[in-house]
Amino acid sequence: MKKRRFIYICREKQIRSMENRKRLWIFNPDCEMAIANGSKYYMPPANVVTMAEDLAVLPVFLGESEDWVLVRNLPDPVFMASVYEPLHLKAGFIQEAEAGILGEVKGEPWGWSPKMCHWLAERGMGEEWKTERKEWYSRRKAREGLIRLFGLIPDLEKEVIPETGYSIEEIEQKMKTGKYLVKAPWSSSGKGILVLGKPIAVKEKERLHGILKRQGYVMLEKKLNKVLDFAMEFCAGRQGVEFIGWSVFSTGLNGEYRGNYLGAQAYIEQLLGSKLGEEKLQSLKQELPDMIAGILPDYRGYLGIDMMIYSDSAGKYRVQPCLEINLRYNMGIVALMLSRRYLDEHAEGEFTVRYYAKAGEAWQEHRHLQQLYPAVYKNNRIKSGYLNLTPVNEAMSTEERLDVKKPKVEAIPLAALTPFRNHPFKVKEDEEMAQLMRSIADAGVLSPALARSLPGGGYELISGHRRLAACKALGMGTMPVIIRDLMDEEAVITMVDSNLQREHILPSEKAFAYKMKYDAIKRSPGRKENGDQLGHQIKSIDSLAENSPDSRNQIQRYIRLTHLIPDILKLVDEGKIALTPAVELSYLQPSEQEMLFSVMDSDEVTPSLSQARRLRRMSEAQTLTDDAVLQLLSEVKGNQVEYVKVPVDKLRSFFRPDTSVKQMTETLVKAMDFYNKHLARQRKDRDAR
């Protein structure tokens, strides 16, 4: 399978930046996918990673002289000589390893997400993600905005208001009444859009099932007779929401983004006005900023609202004024800025994105367009011709760089698969396992497991233990597996890395996983066995932290947990002892831990952090006795908080599938407050009789 490659093509264009601050620009097209996932360690699909790498330099057209653009590979001299220098671009390029030298700088990503916020926060360039922001990015916000515009924008039809679907049965029922587009709540640029047939095909149902499982619901939009796609671009600040310009763009048959018009705003207004009328354009300019401020009062930054001109059954042109809200930079803003800063005032053209599936196609097309339409510059602006906005070079056409060997997936008998020896990750019969079994029963194993061949025959499972357990429980004979030839140390590292990406991991699982990987790294070929032992240890921990979700200090804390006896480690897993006190207790001798657990178990108490530290000091001083432990744990702990724990699976039946634990907790607190007020009113009524 050929590796996907993307290049941007721009004819006769220009751009103008809007701010003058020192920023680090980051092109992260996975922002909506990362928001839907919710994890700060989200890993996007391979094609999205490839696109991000290929288009990483794109923000250079938005940056200023003191800004930097984060890239994996520095642009080659050809790009710098043919694009960067003629246009007098100002922002510089920097790789992640050197990002620490920038000093005080503000992160400026393409879009915000839990993953991006965490990455920036760790480097002092931003704040951590706030969970309440997630709903800002849902397509339900566009519906809310659209409802607000009724009565304010002339001639709006009720049919443009999308509906919400929570099950395949509900969607099938709705499809009987007309043609609808089905959209995932968190997606962008034409992704997550389904054009369903009648009846809905099996593959379509599988995709719907996946979206509903991950995101909880879908939006259903009535299919309209589209005439033109356009958008309004805004900047939201403390002083309000400012309209910055129009953009006209094109899409494919399935709604995927194709490109934008480049040129004067006057022409775009004339084009839109010829179909909608000047009055409606002015009402859009007037009402949209207030609508945005009303539904998103706390959002700050750039955004675009996609709209559509369509014709009704009588052939009259109408507008859908809030099809989608993009709370990020978008290609419309790029096109708008290109036109204002780098396009000659008398020129117009097209800014497009092209996808090339085969090796060599991007380079061949690039050279062909250069010959057909050589770039002509005037006063550091492009007057005519073709210009590549991202690097395209001959190396991109080589088989070595572009080919991705597709791993062979085999159907392996379950009896031939052996769990990884001493692997620390538990396979539990919980709600997550039940969901996995339902998914496999409905659609099969969607993601193959990973294993390696054993010398005596059979295979050792590296990742996929939960999938194996689910397949066995369902009575299946085989499961899809990728077989790789891995040495012992490689197998351990791969096993740990693949499992650490799971959302729910117990502290004990992390502890022994990190310990296994740490030991494997120390044994890996090329590692020195003698010399400065401390230096060797530090390097091993640093290597361990490179691709891990935790910092090196946190990893060291987790590894310390492996020194706890099983009974105390179980209390850590249950949340009865926090991580930091547990680390202090790990320095006690095993016999001292047994003595401590006996007191904790009989008196139903656990040590606070300060108590754990005192226990450690007594252990070091060899003064830790039964009486000392009993006396210490009998003390009243300051700021002690009692908790009532209710299993999440018992609460799920009262809430929608997409409800977070935090939202459930807040709702329960409100419900109890309402109930207490109800009881108070009842008592008051009784007393008044």
PDB file of all heavy atoms in Angstrom, residues 442-457:
ATOM      1  N   ASP A 442     -21.128  -7.886  16.918  1.00  0.00           N
ATOM      2  CA  ASP A 442     -21.803  -7.156  15.844  1.00  0.00           C
ATOM      3  C   ASP A 442     -20.950  -7.023  14.585  1.00  0.00           C
ATOM      4  O   ASP A 442     -21.428  -7.204  13.470  1.00  0.00           O
ATOM      5  CB  ASP A 442     -22.209  -5.757  16.325  1.00  0.00           C
ATOM      6  CG  ASP A 442     -23.309  -5.792  17.373  1.00  0.00           C
ATOM      7  OD1 ASP A 442     -24.004  -6.823  17.480  1.00  0.00           O
ATOM      8  OD2 ASP A 442     -23.450  -4.787  18.098  1.00  0.00           O
ATOM      9  N   ALA A 443     -19.676  -6.664  14.774  1.00  0.00           N
ATOM     10  CA  ALA A 443     -18.849  -6.293  13.621  1.00  0.00           C
ATOM     11  C   ALA A 443     -17.543  -7.069  13.506  1.00  0.00           C
ATOM     12  O   ALA A 443     -16.737  -6.806  12.616  1.00  0.00           O
ATOM     13  CB  ALA A 443     -18.547  -4.789  13.688  1.00  0.00           C
ATOM     14  N   GLY A 444     -17.290  -8.028  14.419  1.00  0.00           N
ATOM     15  CA  GLY A 444     -16.037  -8.762  14.398  1.00  0.00           C
ATOM     16  C   GLY A 444     -14.916  -7.975  15.060  1.00  0.00           C
ATOM     17  O   GLY A 444     -15.107  -6.867  15.554  1.00  0.00           O
ATOM     18  N   VAL A 445     -13.707  -8.539  15.056  1.00  0.00           N
ATOM     19  CA  VAL A 445     -12.533  -7.871  15.620  1.00  0.00           C
ATOM     20  C   VAL A 445     -12.023  -6.864  14.593  1.00  0.00           C
ATOM     21  O   VAL A 445     -11.457  -7.241  13.566  1.00  0.00           O
ATOM     22  CB  VAL A 445     -11.427  -8.876  15.998  1.00  0.00           C
ATOM     23  CG1 VAL A 445     -10.205  -8.152  16.557  1.00  0.00           C
ATOM     24  CG2 VAL A 445     -11.950  -9.890  17.003  1.00  0.00           C
ATOM     25  N   LEU A 446     -12.231  -5.572  14.855  1.00  0.00           N
ATOM     26  CA  LEU A 446     -11.892  -4.526  13.895  1.00  0.00           C
ATOM     27  C   LEU A 446     -10.395  -4.217  13.874  1.00  0.00           C
ATOM     28  O   LEU A 446      -9.855  -3.825  12.840  1.00  0.00           O
ATOM     29  CB  LEU A 446     -12.685  -3.248  14.220  1.00  0.00           C
ATOM     30  CG  LEU A 446     -14.216  -3.392  14.176  1.00  0.00           C
ATOM     31  CD1 LEU A 446     -14.876  -2.087  14.581  1.00  0.00           C
ATOM     32  CD2 LEU A 446     -14.682  -3.815  12.807  1.00  0.00           C
ATOM     33  N   SER A 447      -9.717  -4.374  15.016  1.00  0.00           N
ATOM     34  CA  SER A 447      -8.286  -4.085  15.106  1.00  0.00           C
ATOM     35  C   SER A 447      -7.530  -5.376  15.406  1.00  0.00           C
ATOM     36  O   SER A 447      -7.716  -5.976  16.465  1.00  0.00           O
ATOM     37  CB  SER A 447      -8.026  -3.052  16.211  1.00  0.00           C
ATOM     38  OG  SER A 447      -6.646  -2.780  16.336  1.00  0.00           O
ATOM     39  N   PRO A 448      -6.661  -5.838  14.487  1.00  0.00           N
ATOM     40  CA  PRO A 448      -5.954  -7.102  14.717  1.00  0.00           C
ATOM     41  C   PRO A 448      -5.060  -7.050  15.952  1.00  0.00           C
ATOM     42  O   PRO A 448      -4.520  -5.996  16.302  1.00  0.00           O
ATOM     43  CB  PRO A 448      -5.113  -7.272  13.443  1.00  0.00           C
ATOM     44  CG  PRO A 448      -5.732  -6.365  12.436  1.00  0.00           C
ATOM     45  CD  PRO A 448      -6.314  -5.225  13.193  1.00  0.00           C
ATOM     46  N   ALA A 449      -4.894  -8.190  16.620  1.00  0.00           N
ATOM     47  CA  ALA A 449      -3.958  -8.305  17.730  1.00  0.00           C
ATOM     48  C   ALA A 449      -2.536  -8.415  17.181  1.00  0.00           C
ATOM     49  O   ALA A 449      -2.322  -8.517  15.963  1.00  0.00           O
ATOM     50  CB  ALA A 449      -4.309  -9.512  18.587  1.00  0.00           C
ATOM     51  N   LEU A 450      -1.560  -8.386  18.060  1.00  0.00           N
ATOM     52  CA  LEU A 450      -0.156  -8.485  17.685  1.00  0.00           C
ATOM     53  C   LEU A 450       0.479  -9.629  18.466  1.00  0.00           C
ATOM     54  O   LEU A 450       0.265  -9.767  19.670  1.00  0.00           O
ATOM     55  CB  LEU A 450       0.576  -7.177  17.985  1.00  0.00           C
ATOM     56  CG  LEU A 450       2.073  -7.124  17.655  1.00  0.00           C
ATOM     57  CD1 LEU A 450       2.307  -7.234  16.155  1.00  0.00           C
ATOM     58  CD2 LEU A 450       2.692  -5.819  18.179  1.00  0.00           C
ATOM     59  N   ALA A 451       1.241 -10.471  17.760  1.00  0.00           N
ATOM     60  CA  ALA A 451       1.879 -11.611  18.410  1.00  0.00           C
ATOM     61  C   ALA A 451       3.223 -11.892  17.749  1.00  0.00           C
ATOM     62  O   ALA A 451       3.558 -11.334  16.704  1.00  0.00           O
ATOM     63  CB  ALA A 451       0.972 -12.841  18.339  1.00  0.00           C
ATOM     64  N   ARG A 452       4.009 -12.789  18.393  1.00  0.00           N
ATOM     65  CA  ARG A 452       5.269 -13.264  17.807  1.00  0.00           C
ATOM     66  C   ARG A 452       5.310 -14.786  17.901  1.00  0.00           C
ATOM     67  O   ARG A 452       4.682 -15.392  18.789  1.00  0.00           O
ATOM     68  CB  ARG A 452       6.486 -12.647  18.504  1.00  0.00           C
ATOM     69  CG  ARG A 452       6.632 -13.037  19.969  1.00  0.00           C
ATOM     70  CD  ARG A 452       7.970 -12.552  20.498  1.00  0.00           C
ATOM     71  NE  ARG A 452       8.160 -12.901  21.923  1.00  0.00           N
ATOM     72  CZ  ARG A 452       9.311 -12.843  22.549  1.00  0.00           C
ATOM     73  NH1 ARG A 452      10.401 -12.476  21.905  1.00  0.00           N
ATOM     74  NH2 ARG A 452       9.393 -13.167  23.829  1.00  0.00           N
ATOM     75  N   SER A 453       6.044 -15.398  17.006  1.00  0.00           N
ATOM     76  CA  SER A 453       6.139 -16.851  16.971  1.00  0.00           C
ATOM     77  C   SER A 453       6.968 -17.355  18.150  1.00  0.00           C
ATOM     78  O   SER A 453       7.967 -16.729  18.539  1.00  0.00           O
ATOM     79  CB  SER A 453       6.786 -17.316  15.664  1.00  0.00           C
ATOM     80  OG  SER A 453       6.023 -16.896  14.550  1.00  0.00           O
ATOM     81  N   LEU A 454       6.559 -18.495  18.711  1.00  0.00           N
ATOM     82  CA  LEU A 454       7.303 -19.147  19.778  1.00  0.00           C
ATOM     83  C   LEU A 454       8.171 -20.257  19.199  1.00  0.00           C
ATOM     84  O   LEU A 454       7.748 -20.944  18.236  1.00  0.00           O
ATOM     85  CB  LEU A 454       6.346 -19.719  20.823  1.00  0.00           C
ATOM     86  CG  LEU A 454       5.575 -18.685  21.670  1.00  0.00           C
ATOM     87  CD1 LEU A 454       4.514 -19.390  22.514  1.00  0.00           C
ATOM     88  CD2 LEU A 454       6.539 -17.913  22.564  1.00  0.00           C
ATOM     89  N   PRO A 455       9.368 -20.497  19.747  1.00  0.00           N
ATOM     90  CA  PRO A 455      10.264 -21.529  19.208  1.00  0.00           C
ATOM     91  C   PRO A 455       9.621 -22.919  19.155  1.00  0.00           C
ATOM     92  O   PRO A 455       9.837 -23.686  18.230  1.00  0.00           O
ATOM     93  CB  PRO A 455      11.458 -21.504  20.180  1.00  0.00           C
ATOM     94  CG  PRO A 455      11.410 -20.143  20.805  1.00  0.00           C
ATOM     95  CD  PRO A 455       9.969 -19.773  20.870  1.00  0.00           C
ATOM     96  N   GLY A 456       8.826 -23.264  20.151  1.00  0.00           N
ATOM     97  CA  GLY A 456       8.207 -24.585  20.205  1.00  0.00           C
ATOM     98  C   GLY A 456       6.890 -24.689  19.468  1.00  0.00           C
ATOM     99  O   GLY A 456       6.181 -25.697  19.582  1.00  0.00           O
ATOM    100  N   GLY A 457       6.503 -23.628  18.736  1.00  0.00           N
ATOM    101  CA  GLY A 457       5.224 -23.619  18.049  1.00  0.00           C
ATOM    102  C   GLY A 457       4.215 -22.734  18.758  1.00  0.00           C
ATOM    103  O   GLY A 457       4.316 -22.463  19.955  1.00  0.00           O
TER     104      GLY A 457
END
